[in-house]
Amino acid sequence: AYLTCRAAILGRNLGPRFIRVPANYNHNCSGKRRQPGRTMTNRIWLKNYPAGVPATIDVSAYESIRALFEESCAKYTTRPAFTCMGKSITFAELEALSAAFGAWLQAQGCKKGTRVALMMPNILQYPVCLFGTLRAGCTVVNVNPLYTARELEHQLTDSGAEVIVVVENFARTVAEVLGRTKVRRVIVTSIGELLGFKGIIVDLVLRHVKKMIPAWSLPEAVRLSDALAAERTGKLERVR
């Protein structure tokens, strides 16, 4: 048996550590003795489930996350799927936008398993690109937008990413390392790109008032809005 404890118990903040303990060990990470009968198999958390929430699910009901996503979009078309800075997109909008992005990836020659890096914070573009990538049959590579150039180069090289979507705030870092990676297509977006009129104000403030967008040059980059517009009527091929 393994007991996962934080090394702070030992007086040092060293992050998670795995400690081998006897199988009959009966203490938790706080040092307190476990109460008899209180095990994971009791599933004591079920009493806090709202009415109608099943205790178990059929994991074989869907062949993939894509199938679950597409069914949800068809079922909850008018409901808000994601909200950011007061702006929401519905499931129907998310389905259309992600399909357009997935079709754009396929039009660029992306095949099953192609690595697509997403370098952005939690904004509306993230789920659009995430589900679009998965629906195109590609593999998502999440990238910390705060990575230094050295860290980003390692991440892109190690993953074999061929496409990257980056918020313009961090485009300079991408420009610094692009030539030393396998990335062949760059899509640039802005914080406000999917926020409607509010987004115009947000981007204006970030660029010209707070000056949070360092100068960058990526001559072959494509704006996300242009990529989405180009494939709004395109066909997303199903990949198995």
Side-chain angles (χ1 to χ4, degrees):
Y2 282 89
L3 178 65
T4 306
C5 295
R6 183 162 295 278
I9 297 173
L10 305 177
R12 292 182 295 173
N13 185 17
L14 299 178
R17 290 294 184 270
F18 293 96
I19 304 172
R20 184 176 293 278
V21 296
N24 61 353
Y25 187 76
N26 201 31
H27 286 72
N28 56 32
C29 289
S30 65
K32 296 179 181 179
R33 188 173 183 82
R34 289 197 184 99
Q35 298 179 15
R38 294 291 291 274
T39 66
M40 290 291 288
T41 56
N42 292 132
R43 302 195 294 177
I44 59 175
W45 57 85
L46 293 180
K47 65 181 180 182
N48 296 311
Y49 277 22
V53 175
T56 60
I57 61 173
D58 180 7
V59 296
S60 63
Y62 301 95
E63 64 177 2
S64 64
I65 293 177
R66 181 192 64 196
L68 173 60
F69 169 77
E70 291 175 348
E71 180 185 288
S72 298
C73 287
K75 184 176 181 180
Y76 305 111
T77 52
T78 60
R79 295 188 185 182
F82 290 92
T83 299
C84 178
M85 300 176 68
K87 169 69 174 180
S88 296
I89 57 174
T90 64
F91 278 91
E93 291 171 327
L94 178 60
E95 193 283 329
L97 290 169
S98 62
F101 184 69
W104 184 88
L105 289 174
Q106 291 179 342
Q108 305 309 304
C110 293
K111 306 296 183 182
K112 181 178 181 180
T114 298
R115 270 63 170 177
V116 178
L118 305 181
M119 187 175 180
M120 64 184 87
N122 291 328
I123 54 179
L124 294 177
Q125 293 90 309
Y126 181 79
V128 168
C129 295
L130 171 72
F131 289 113
T133 299
L134 296 178
R135 296 178 74 186
C138 301
T139 300
V140 173
V141 178
N142 282 308
V143 177
N144 186 341
L146 298 181
Y147 271 166
T148 63
R150 179 184 63 80
E151 292 169 330
L152 177 60
E153 180 180 352
H154 173 77
Q155 175 90 345
L156 296 178
T157 302
D158 185 60
S159 65
E162 298 180 38
V163 180
I164 186 169
V165 186
V166 60
V167 174
E168 62 183 4
N169 305 53
F170 315 104
R172 173 185 281 183
T173 309
V174 174
E176 289 181 28
V177 305
L178 187 63
R180 300 191 295 274
T181 70
K182 295 181 180 179
V183 174
R184 54 185 176 84
R185 298 297 287 171
V186 179
I187 305 96
V188 179
T189 186
S190 66
I191 295 294
E193 192 161 13
L194 292 185
L195 296 179
F197 178 74
K198 178 188 288 187
I200 299 175
I201 305 302
V202 169
D203 288 341
L204 179 67
V205 171
L206 291 176
R207 292 168 183 164
H208 305 293
V209 178
K210 294 191 175 182
K211 300 186 184 303
M212 296 179 64
I213 316 297
W216 55 274
S217 176
L218 291 164
E220 302 299 322
V222 177
R223 278 284 171 182
L224 178 61
S225 55
D226 293 335
L228 296 177
E231 297 297 336
R232 281 298 181 96
T233 58
K235 183 179 179 181
L236 175 65
E237 301 291 339
R238 295 188 69 83
V239 179
R240 297 188 178 277

